[in-house]
Amino acid sequence: MKQITIIAKDHAGLLADVAEKMAAANVNIESIDSECIGETAVITMAVDQCDAALRALANAGFHAVTEETILVKVADRPGALAQIARRFSEAGINMRSARLIRREGATGIVAISCEDIERARALTKDILL
């Protein structure tokens, strides 16, 4: 799965602008996170049409990058994410982001981006979706 990250100056209506650009391009947002760090906004999302989304964002003047993520299934209980993060740490793989994108009963689906996606796939083959 690919995720798109947008870095922009924060302002009222930023999320609305991004969502409207996706709608105008007929792109469905499957998951989205929006955070502010000082005056900078970071929006991370997964969409059903990555190339169309990137074109729409570029045409609107947004700085957006995309990267590959892996999806892993974890138990929906305290400490489950800590176990996965420790596994990455002990393997020397830096996790750039981890996002809970869905909960299904007793499990959760987490999207992880990291420096070495192939090693990450091998490391998580027992829980990889």
Side-chain angles (χ1 to χ4, degrees):
M1 178 176 116
K2 288 190 176 187
Q3 73 180 16
I4 296 171
T5 302
I6 302 160
I7 300 170
K9 185 174 188 322
D10 187 37
H11 64 273
L14 175 61
L15 190 56
D17 292 343
V18 169
E20 288 169 352
K21 297 306 179 215
M22 295 301 93
N26 200 32
V27 172
N28 188 41
I29 298 171
E30 297 174 341
S31 70
I32 190 164
D33 294 309
S34 179
E35 300 288 333
C36 290
I37 304 163
E39 294 183 6
T40 302
V42 179
I43 300 171
T44 304
M45 62 184 174
V47 298
D48 65 345
Q49 300 175 67
C50 190
D51 291 339
L54 289 171
R55 276 191 304 277
L57 291 166
N59 289 341
F62 287 104
H63 174 70
V65 295
T66 184
E67 67 182 328
E68 192 69 29
T69 63
I70 59 170
L71 297 178
V72 297
K73 191 175 194 176
V74 298
D76 187 7
R77 61 172 174 69
L81 182 59
Q83 289 176 328
I84 300 304
R86 179 58 54 203
R87 191 187 295 193
F88 275 76
S89 175
E90 290 174 355
I93 302 172
N94 184 33
M95 294 173 66
R96 286 195 287 253
S97 70
R99 295 184 303 124
L100 177 65
I101 60 170
R102 190 174 337 142
R103 292 174 77 185
E104 298 175 342
T107 61
I109 308 299
V110 177
I112 298 171
S113 70
C114 58
E115 292 176 346
D116 190 335
I117 201 76
E118 292 310 316
R119 282 186 56 218
R121 281 190 179 102
L123 182 69
T124 58
K125 64 184 173 202
D126 59 320
I127 57 172
L128 195 62
L129 293 181

